[in-house]
Amino acid sequence: MPERTLLVVDAANVVGSVPDGWWRDRHGAAERLRDRLVSRAEHGEEEIVLVVEGAARGVASVPGVRVVSAPGSGDDAIVALVAAEGPGRRCVVVTADRGLRARVTALGAEVTGPHSVR
């Protein structure tokens, strides 16, 4: 059986892609995104990792969605996750951040935009 795809979600970028008042409660916005990802995780085809930073740190993992609180830059944490997987596993990063896109594609990851998980 092939290894599941690693889906790494840039929480700050995805949450920030829709002007719905997320800036008033960054932690709550990240929790709502995490909870939306649970239904996607139920398909079992992906290992989902949600990377949070700043005021969203401390969002808890739930079954199907592992949450990583970046100690500094969320982008750096995402790059480290992708690099740790090496070239043998399919990694997809969800972000619209051009700089991050360039960094992870250089490591062999694929990239998709925020609306793919909203």
Side-chain angles (χ1 to χ4, degrees):
M1 183 170 156
E3 193 169 20
R4 293 184 304 161
T5 296
L6 177 64
L7 182 73
V8 181
V9 181
D10 180 353
N13 191 268
V14 172
V15 166
S17 69
V18 177
D20 61 2
W22 59 264
W23 51 89
R24 291 188 294 270
D25 181 11
R26 294 169 194 257
H27 190 272
E31 286 180 326
R32 289 187 296 278
L33 173 58
R34 176 205 58 200
D35 294 347
R36 282 194 306 273
L37 291 169
V38 169
S39 64
R40 184 174 179 140
E42 290 172 350
H43 297 287
E45 298 169 7
E46 300 165 317
E47 176 187 348
I48 300 176
V49 178
L50 179 67
V51 177
V52 297
E53 63 185 347
R57 283 189 192 102
V59 169
S61 296
V62 296
V65 181
R66 178 169 53 110
V67 179
V68 172
S69 290
S73 159
D75 289 4
D76 290 346
I78 291 167
V79 170
L81 282 167
V82 171
E85 290 304 320
R89 182 175 187 191
R90 181 174 181 230
C91 293
V92 178
V93 176
V94 181
T95 189
D97 180 304
R98 289 182 185 167
L100 178 57
R101 290 169 84 95
R103 292 173 69 189
V104 298
T105 56
L107 295 170
E110 300 169 38
V111 180
T112 188
H115 293 293
S116 67
V117 296
R118 291 227 27 116

